[in-house]
Amino acid sequence: MEVIKLEEVSFSYNGVPALRDISFSFNKGDFIGVVGPNGSGKSTLLKIIDGILIPEKGNVLFKGKPVKSYTRKNLAQEIALVPQNFNLDFSFTVGEVVKMGRYSRRGGRDLIFNLSNLLDKLEISHLEKRLFPQLSGGEKQMVVLAQALAQQPELLLLDEPASHLDISHQLKLFQLLKQVNQEGVTIFCVIHDLNLALLYFGKLLLLSEGRLVSFGQAEDVLNSKKVEVIYGVKTFVHRHAGRIFLTFSPRYTGEEKAKIHVVCGGGTGSFLIRKLVDLGFQVSVGAINALDTDEVTGRELGLSMAVEAPFTAITKEVFEENLRLMEQADLVIFTDVPLGFGNIKNLEAIKEAVKMGKLVWVIEGIEKRDFTGRAKEIISNLPGISYFSKIEEMVEKLRKWEK
Amino acid sequence: MWLEKMSSESRLKVIFIISILLFFFLSFSVSILLGPSPLSLREMKKALLKGPSTSTAASTIFWQIRLPRVLLAFLIGASLSLAGAILQGLFLNPLADPYVTGVSSGAALGATFAFFFHLPPIPWLSFFAFIGGFFTLIFVYFLARRKGIVNIYLLLLGGVAVSAFFSSLIAVLMVKAGKDLHALVFWLMGSFSGRSWADVKLSLFAFPLLFASFFFVDELNIFLQGEERALELGVEVEKVKKILFFIASSLTAVAVAAAGIIGFIGLVVPHISRLILGPDHRKVFILSIFLGASVMGLSDLCARVIFAPSEMPVGVVTSFFGAPFFLYLLRKKRSFSGSY
């Protein structure tokens, strides 16, 4: 059954548009997250659904009837809102504040309400006699949630309920919301943190500049392209331990930065690669085995790489691919990856890079991490290599580096 | 004893209620007994038992002079305090008192007209005062209304502006009043001097308003979370604001019509009540009514005994004692201003 249906809803604050032609609907029992940049209209959308704001154009229907046809009292029995900002400087006890949520059901005997059960459920029973203004930000947020749940609504709207909560309370809150949802309450929750949104919500609604960009499965809504366009940051999708999460880099500013080729492996390059991407360099990687930690990092960041099959020594083809990538680079970096018979060809590639006249930076102590005994012979008499003791030193130098 | 069986918290509550009631009855009795010509307890008992028909001096003083005057003072004290409590809650502003809405100035202007045209105080002066107050209420209300929503700040500022304008009109009339000036000034500063049963009857209109306000204590408590939150919790905000504004303004108009402009009670008593019992409007209202009534009774007593046989305006007494006491409270309890 459709709980909420919006039909081409527009709203503006004194002529500044906040929502434009929004249409969507959701059903009883849904568990939906709402995401979007600051000022995209998320809070406005909640207030429109709750009838606090009246749309300039379009209709908002709750259970098939216009929201504005309900009295405030009747609507408060059906829809509860947990606001983002909640101020109450008056010394009411937590119990009294929560009971204010019963206002719309005053005098009614249709539903059983037990204050201590509710407080138990939210694990705030110990706060019942405390004065509200003396609580911490996180505690206040839980109390306001309790006040909203005291309305015993069918639809619960939340505006960033986790913004003041530490990680353990965040987990508890979302578990609680899932539980409330299983008891039949529809949840529509504005959430700022995209990774939290991916973690807890199967269905997401993405807003941008007052427009509905996308509404559907979380993974489809928050794909890296959409996030990049809407939030204006470079976005990378990672999969780890069965979960999807996003990381971000500052967006490419249009200024041409140098191309850097990183020769690495075994996780020695991951930190550097990410750092270089964040700094705005164009990064390539090679030669490297598939499924190597550095290879996974490079793949998730969408870099060009010379990749060999897993657990295989570098073949001629990949070696040559590596050289091609080096040729395009302004700087070649060789990390402190240990050298065995599988990847000794990478050192030969470094030699080629020097011959090409490339700038080459290497972490010192090559002979110490060489297990083939050939390293010394390969790089002896090679002028033009700059040695560094740590990756961090390279990063520091690159920060100041201009093409 | 039953008192010992209770928890310390509820014991404190009982003791508190008893002492408030005691204070109330004590103030009432003292106000009846004392005056330019004091009554003894025995005289009062006799007058009470024999009823108002006898014509002894004590009986006349009791039935025709003291009782109506004290009843009126108590009723007006309760009305002003409650009006202040309502408006402070409605405006979420610690400076609100019954006079901020401009209703009192409207009432005063009405009364000044009555003076000016030498109309008899009962019923015309009271009637003019009430009409003046009532029309100001309507005027300020519509001034603050935009697209069906009453803006609380416009209400407050509009009230202040209307108040200032009416005060200037009153000043003009005062200049023109000539020999009536003294009586007019005395009336404007607030007094229960010479009030009779007729005044009490006119003021009984305040009674249903006092009771009606208790239907809205939950709403006022929720308003403390802001108007938007109140909407979310299911309060018909505009309707409730309209009714409460009407109740508070009418209480003020009744009070001004009966006794002129008596300052400070409507500001201080709700504050003290809130200080003692916390922000819950149910408690604040009850205490404001009892405390406001008692304090007004005692103030009127002071007004008539201090310079007996001549009288002071009661507004002078309330401000003289009220203001320093209020300052003392402000200094003593820092959280005071924060709690409102």
Side-chain angles (χ1 to χ4, degrees):
Chain A
M1 188 184 70
E2 263 175 9
V3 177
I4 286 287
K5 184 175 180 142
L6 270 73
E7 297 171 335
E8 292 177 4
V9 168
S10 296
F11 181 82
S12 64
Y13 292 103
N14 297 324
V16 181
L19 294 177
R20 313 171 205 228
D21 284 329
I22 299 238
S23 302
F24 69 92
S25 66
F26 54 86
N27 296 329
K28 188 169 165 53
D30 275 353
F31 193 84
I32 299 167
V34 183
V35 290
N38 290 337
S40 59
K42 303 188 295 291
S43 300
T44 308
L45 181 61
L46 291 193
K47 286 177 188 171
I48 288 270
I49 291 175
D50 199 16
I52 304 289
L53 299 175
I54 310 297
E56 276 158 19
K57 226 186 82 214
N59 295 312
V60 185
L61 305 177
F62 175 75
K63 287 181 173 176
K65 280 199 293 178
V67 161
K68 60 185 172 196
S69 72
Y70 290 81
T71 63
R72 285 312 310 172
K73 189 180 162 183
N74 287 337
L75 204 62
Q77 293 174 358
E78 308 271 11
I79 305 178
L81 192 149
V82 179
Q84 186 179 5
N85 296 311
F86 180 88
N87 277 322
L88 180 64
D89 295 333
F90 301 91
S91 38
F92 284 103
T93 64
V94 166
E96 287 170 330
V97 173
V98 174
K99 272 190 231 154
M100 287 181 192
R102 296 300 294 166
Y103 174 79
S104 61
R105 297 194 181 274
R106 212 168 47 161
R109 292 189 199 85
D110 48 338
L111 285 165
I112 304 150
F113 173 72
N114 186 321
L115 178 67
S116 53
N117 280 357
L118 177 63
L119 297 182
D120 274 345
K121 197 163 154 186
L122 274 72
E123 299 182 18
I124 52 171
S125 305
H126 60 289
L127 300 177
E128 187 179 344
K129 302 271 178 213
R130 290 267 304 279
L131 294 179
F132 184 82
Q134 295 170 0
L135 303 181
S136 72
E139 288 169 334
K140 282 181 182 170
Q141 239 165 359
M142 293 308 281
V143 173
V144 180
L145 177 63
Q147 193 184 53
L149 288 176
Q151 290 172 245
Q152 293 174 311
E154 278 205 28
L155 168 61
L156 185 60
L157 308 169
L158 300 106
D159 200 348
E160 298 193 25
S163 55
H164 292 113
L165 300 181
D166 63 40
I167 188 72
S168 100
H169 286 89
Q170 230 172 51
L171 280 166
K172 270 183 202 153
L173 172 78
F174 284 107
Q175 270 163 13
L176 184 84
L177 290 182
K178 289 251 158 158
Q179 189 193 332
V180 168
N181 181 239
Q182 273 154 19
E183 289 162 10
V185 178
T186 310
I187 306 267
F188 193 76
C189 177
V190 167
I191 182 158
H192 218 77
D193 188 311
L194 299 183
N195 281 314
L196 277 181
L198 278 169
L199 188 55
Y200 291 111
F201 294 90
K203 240 178 151 183
L204 289 178
L205 188 145
L206 176 60
L207 287 177
S208 172
E209 294 176 349
R211 289 199 172 81
L212 193 152
V213 178
S214 169
F215 180 34
Q217 290 307 309
E219 287 182 53
D220 306 332
V221 171
L222 286 186
N223 69 39
S224 59
K225 275 225 183 79
K226 274 184 199 147
V227 176
E228 270 187 38
V229 170
I230 286 163
Y231 284 86
V233 291
K234 266 190 179 170
T235 307
F236 308 105
V237 178
H238 308 267
R239 281 160 210 275
H240 183 69
R243 285 179 179 164
I244 300 172
F245 61 99
L246 306 173
T247 62
F248 311 97
S249 299
R251 191 164 56 168
Y252 178 58
T253 53
E255 169 199 2
E256 277 290 318
K257 277 211 173 171
K259 289 178 184 165
I260 299 179
H261 183 75
V262 180
V263 180
C264 54
T268 58
S270 288
F271 168 77
L272 178 68
I273 292 169
R274 185 58 203 254
K275 237 356 196 231
L276 295 180
V277 168
D278 285 354
L279 288 172
F281 292 105
Q282 295 180 56
V283 182
S284 57
V285 180
I288 198 166
N289 289 105
L291 303 183
D292 181 291
T293 307
D294 291 341
E295 191 269 339
V296 173
T297 305
R299 179 153 33 96
E300 286 173 347
L301 299 179
L303 307 179
S304 338
M305 297 192 288
V307 180
E308 184 54 79
F311 305 108
T312 310
I314 295 165
T315 55
K316 191 163 175 274
E317 290 76 33
V318 175
F319 176 73
E320 277 165 6
E321 170 68 20
N322 196 18
L323 290 187
R324 266 195 295 283
L325 290 172
M326 277 181 178
E327 234 166 87
Q328 293 161 18
D330 303 296
L331 166 67
V332 176
I333 291 180
F334 190 37
T335 66
D336 52 348
V337 56
L339 292 167
F341 290 104
N343 67 348
I344 190 68
K345 275 212 163 85
N346 274 342
L347 193 61
E348 284 169 17
I350 292 292
K351 189 175 174 181
E352 293 303 312
V354 175
K355 280 187 189 162
M356 286 176 216
K358 298 286 170 192
L359 211 51
V360 178
W361 292 3
V362 175
I363 297 288
E364 59 194 14
I366 290 180
E367 283 147 46
K368 280 183 210 151
R369 50 181 190 264
D370 170 33
F371 297 97
T372 62
R374 293 178 51 208
K376 198 172 179 184
E377 164 207 337
I378 296 172
I379 59 157
S380 59
N381 301 322
L382 267 187
I385 292 181
S386 310
Y387 286 96
F388 292 79
S389 63
K390 281 190 310 222
I391 295 278
E392 285 81 358
E393 263 176 40
M394 291 182 176
V395 174
E396 223 22 69
K397 187 158 182 189
L398 280 169
R399 275 187 205 282
K400 300 164 197 159
W401 203 55
E402 291 296 319
K403 190 175 174 177
Chain B
M1 218 179 104
W2 56 272
L3 203 58
E4 282 157 11
K5 285 183 194 155
M6 300 171 126
S7 70
S8 65
E9 198 182 326
S10 40
R11 199 181 311 158
L12 215 69
K13 241 182 236 171
V14 170
I15 292 172
F16 179 75
I17 291 170
I18 291 174
S19 38
I20 285 296
L21 288 178
L22 217 63
F23 178 61
F24 181 74
F25 286 113
L26 222 67
S27 324
F28 192 80
S29 317
V30 172
S31 303
I32 293 275
L33 292 174
L34 299 183
S37 52
L39 296 173
S40 70
L41 268 174
R42 198 145 45 104
E43 282 171 317
M44 181 168 103
K45 192 178 151 198
K46 218 162 109 188
L48 249 178
L49 288 176
K50 292 221 169 133
S53 50
T54 48
S55 58
T56 59
S59 171
T60 309
I61 289 175
F62 178 80
W63 285 108
Q64 303 308 329
I65 298 174
R66 291 284 162 73
L67 193 58
R69 180 172 179 155
V70 172
L71 279 176
L72 190 67
F74 269 61
L75 186 58
I76 299 308
S79 301
L80 284 176
S81 302
L82 188 66
I86 292 172
L87 291 171
Q88 282 171 12
L90 203 56
F91 291 137
L92 285 182
N93 191 318
L95 286 176
D97 76 355
Y99 304 134
V100 288
T101 59
V103 168
S104 56
S105 303
L109 184 63
T112 310
F113 267 113
F115 261 101
F116 200 70
F117 295 111
H118 301 284
L119 298 172
I122 296 288
W124 292 110
L125 190 138
S126 300
F127 179 74
F128 264 64
F130 189 79
I131 292 297
F134 194 77
F135 276 103
T136 313
L137 182 167
I138 306 273
F139 178 70
V140 174
Y141 177 80
F142 281 104
L143 195 76
R145 218 166 87 128
R146 293 272 157 82
K147 292 180 190 165
I149 291 170
V150 173
N151 183 319
I152 283 294
Y153 296 105
L154 277 182
L155 205 62
L156 202 59
L157 293 171
V160 170
V162 166
S163 218
F165 180 69
F166 284 175
S167 297
S168 72
L169 287 185
I170 291 171
V172 170
L173 290 175
M174 279 165 93
V175 170
K176 296 274 173 197
K179 62 177 172 30
D180 297 327
L181 185 63
H182 179 77
L184 180 55
V185 169
F186 201 85
W187 188 91
L188 284 176
M189 288 168 86
S191 171
F192 294 102
S193 173
R195 299 301 193 272
S196 66
W197 285 107
D199 295 280
V200 177
K201 273 183 208 153
L202 280 179
S203 305
L204 282 180
F205 181 49
F207 249 109
L209 295 172
L210 292 180
F211 285 110
S213 62
F214 280 89
F215 287 104
F216 300 97
V217 284
D218 285 337
E219 284 84 347
L220 274 169
N221 286 344
I222 289 174
F223 277 168
L224 296 180
Q225 300 175 49
E227 281 186 20
E228 196 171 292
R229 187 69 194 143
L231 279 175
E232 288 158 13
L233 291 176
V235 179
E236 302 287 351
V237 171
E238 289 310 314
K239 201 170 105 193
V240 173
K241 273 198 304 201
K242 199 194 301 179
I243 295 173
L244 282 172
F245 182 67
F246 175 81
I247 290 178
S249 304
S250 303
L251 282 171
T252 310
V254 169
V256 175
I261 298 177
I262 303 168
F264 243 75
I265 291 251
L267 177 68
V268 181
V269 170
H271 269 299
I272 295 172
S273 307
R274 208 171 285 115
L275 198 62
I276 298 174
L277 294 179
D280 184 352
H281 281 89
R282 189 171 285 105
K283 299 174 190 166
V284 170
F285 278 12
I286 295 175
L287 189 55
S288 291
I289 285 174
F290 280 94
L291 212 56
S294 313
V295 169
M296 187 69 97
L298 292 177
S299 302
D300 181 46
L301 178 64
C302 292
R304 66 189 129 98
V305 282
I306 289 178
F307 295 119
S310 62
E311 289 203 18
M312 272 195 298
V314 66
V316 174
V317 179
T318 53
S319 301
F320 187 82
F321 291 110
F325 183 62
F326 190 52
L327 287 175
Y328 163 75
L329 282 177
L330 280 179
R331 293 293 305 176
K332 198 180 167 205
K333 196 148 179 179
R334 291 270 162 182
S335 65
F336 190 41
S337 47
S339 75
Y340 230 43

